[in-house]
Amino acid sequence: MQPFNKVEGIAAPILAANVDTDVIMPKQFLKGIDRNGLDRGAFFDLRFLADGSPNPEFVLNQAPWRESKFLVVGPNFGCGSSREHAVWGMKQLGIRALVGTSFAGIFYDNCQRNGVLTIQLSTAELKELSAMVSQPETAKIAVALEEQFILLADGRRIKFEIDALRKDALLQGLDAIGSTLVRSEQIRRFEERHLQTNPWLA
Amino acid sequence: MPDAGGTLQVNYFEENCRDFGIELFDVLDKRQGIEHVVAPEQGFILPGMVVAAGDSHTTTYGALGAFGFGIGTSEIEHLLATQTLVYKRLKSMRVTVEGTPGPGLVSKDIIMELIRQIGASGATGYAIEFSGPAITALSVEARMTICNMAVEAGARGAFMAPDEKVFAYLADKPRAPKGVVWNQAVESWKSLFTDPGAEFDLEVRMDVADLQPMVTWGTSPDQAAAISDTVPDPMEEPDLILRRDLERALRYMDLQPGTALSNIKISHAFIGSCTNARIEDLRDAARVVKGRKVAEGVRAMIVPGSTQVRDTAEVEGIAQIFRDAGFEWRQSGCSMCLAMNDDVLSPGDRCASSTNRNFEGRQGQGARTHLMSPAMVAAAAVTGHLVDVRSLVLEA
């Protein structure tokens, strides 16, 4: 997994509430057995018009947000279906981090698993950030994970909190399976004991 | 299968099952169907289990006293490789449901009202325990509908203490334990309840005595109201961002503020999905449909949650009631719940649906979904518009 430390780039505001994973990645892009080509599917119905041309109204089709590395999002972003394709697609589109007030549970974990940083701010902080990135000339931000702050175009910093384990995994680009398998022996012993005391599961 | 992508997935799935010795209920198997209908039906889900699966509606299994939660692909990989998942403990929420709902009201109405009250992210970060007399009064299947849709309020998992109804439900299921081990299991399962005085991070109480049949009018499951109500006016929403969301939802749904919900005409009616396609759901719908015809201009479909549900409906004569009324009586699957096969609505279509998500494009790009109970869908199908089911079945 690609480590995340300090990343600088354009942030695009997508501030509607409850943007669900059906919107982030419509079902026609779920029929594959690999993860390729999902950048085309990301926000498909918002990004493209019926004739397949880019929708000029959508922020990710406008300069400078076409080059976005961050999304500043509304509450409960990523709700609905567990499809990880939503995260893969955004990542393939170049998105490295999402900043919002709340994220849906499964989506949040899917982001973590793919090295996409999710930052939770207060409503007031998010307003401050979205006001800045909604203007083309101040849309550029920097996210410093190690020091836990977002740097705005005018030099202001917004601090953020993050769980230490999540932070470490992102900074190092850790492989979660590898980290767990270190405990294989404990897992095996637990399973043995669990099946003995709950024989109906055996 | 005419769909190349789907064929690829199905073949690869079959190959994987063969390579790794995993039992597969393939499309022609008598036991096939939607995961969250089949797994309980076959007795795979037992009280006390922790079940993780690559589908957000895995919360369904809470109805059996198991803890089910949805995960993404990477976590499935982690689970298969290590038999574990690494999680921080979720916050706990108890939803206590009191009161006796009136006739014609079902568990779908209860969960839709809860989601309306606490919002689509009201339970984000939480696992919900449902309790109270209105929950224990429900059948196990009806409880599944509630746990299923807990995720639409953002809950990561749901739980209901297993009781005699659950044990009776499981007793004759093919994969449930038998004999001495069964007795041992039931004794253990009886201990799976919350201690009196236990503290939750959040307590929600609701009284369902005055509950009305619920329908959604917007594009999020919390944008719902009683059928007797009207489409809300965004101008009454003081928060600008929320107002814009409401305006966007009404624009997508092509609805005017103040319109009576019962005046909304439909083009499609769909009964199916892991939320509401079990045999009790079909019985509820059949009671409404019996002796009536699908309204002109409405395409109505019933997609049983499993082949076993389908076969049972045939034996009970319910299937014939639907066919006589002009419903399409289909093979089991997810169908129009998420529009991944050919069952897709066209832009501008309006569907009364027993499913779980009314998101933009969920049932087809530009299509409009109104969520409600299966009996309410049946009532809409035979009248051609959203309608209080009680005016049809309780009028005599």
Side-chain angles (χ1 to χ4, degrees), chain B residues 172-225:
Chain B
D172 63 345
K173 297 290 179 280
R175 297 300 173 105
K178 306 276 182 266
V180 181
V181 185
W182 166 260
N183 295 334
Q184 211 180 338
V186 171
E187 273 319 300
S188 163
W189 295 340
K190 283 179 179 166
S191 69
L192 296 172
F193 58 85
T194 293
D195 297 330
E199 283 187 21
F200 287 74
D201 295 311
L202 189 62
E203 294 266 9
V204 175
R205 288 182 175 275
M206 59 188 285
D207 192 311
V208 291
D210 297 324
L211 190 66
Q212 307 272 320
M214 300 292 292
V215 296
T216 59
W217 47 261
T219 53
S220 173
D222 57 355
Q223 292 176 327

Side-chain angles (χ1 to χ4, degrees), chain A residues 15-18 20 22 27 30-33 35 45-46 76 80-84 88 103 105-106 109-110 113-114 163 176-177 180-181 187 191 199-201, chain B residues 3 9 12 49 54-56 70 72-75 78 82-84 87-88 120-121 124 156 181 184-185 188-189 220 245 248 338-340 357 359 361-362 365:
Chain A
L15 296 167
N18 306 320
D20 57 76
D22 276 76
K27 63 262 167 198
L30 307 184
K31 289 178 184 169
I33 54 172
R35 304 174 184 188
D45 291 346
L46 298 173
N76 202 28
S81 160
S82 59
R83 59 189 70 168
E84 198 164 312
W88 299 334
F103 298 91
I106 303 174
D109 288 335
N110 285 342
R113 289 290 188 160
N114 288 280
D163 172 77
I177 293 178
T180 302
L181 282 177
I187 295 170
E191 283 185 324
W200 52 90
L201 296 177
Chain B
D3 174 348
Q9 282 188 321
Y12 192 52
M49 276 185 170
D55 187 280
S56 59
T73 311
S74 297
E75 297 209 320
H78 190 277
T82 69
Q83 295 295 301
T84 64
Y87 269 80
K88 278 216 137 158
S121 59
T124 298
R156 199 62 199 275
V181 185
Q184 211 180 338
S188 163
W189 295 340
S220 173
D245 284 340
R248 182 188 163 86
L338 77 169
M340 267 190 75
R357 288 184 178 140
F359 297 158
R362 173 78 177 182
Q365 196 183 5

Side-chain angles (χ1 to χ4, degrees), chain B residues 103-106 109 112 212-216 225-229 259-269 285 288-289 292-295 298 327 350-353 370-395:
Chain B
L105 276 295
V106 293
D109 300 307
M112 285 180 67
Q212 307 272 320
M214 300 292 292
V215 296
T216 59
I227 182 65
S228 58
D229 217 331
T259 307
L261 293 173
S262 58
N263 276 344
I264 298 173
K265 289 195 164 49
I266 59 160
S267 59
H268 289 73
V288 179
V289 169
R292 295 188 169 94
K293 294 277 183 207
V294 171
V298 173
F327 279 85
R350 188 181 294 281
C351 186
S353 186
H370 294 275
L371 303 177
M372 61 197 78
S373 74
M376 284 286 285
V377 175
V382 298
T383 58
H385 57 89
L386 306 191
V387 63
D388 190 332
V389 61
R390 297 173 299 181
S391 68
L392 291 164
V393 287
L394 305 176
E395 62 196 0

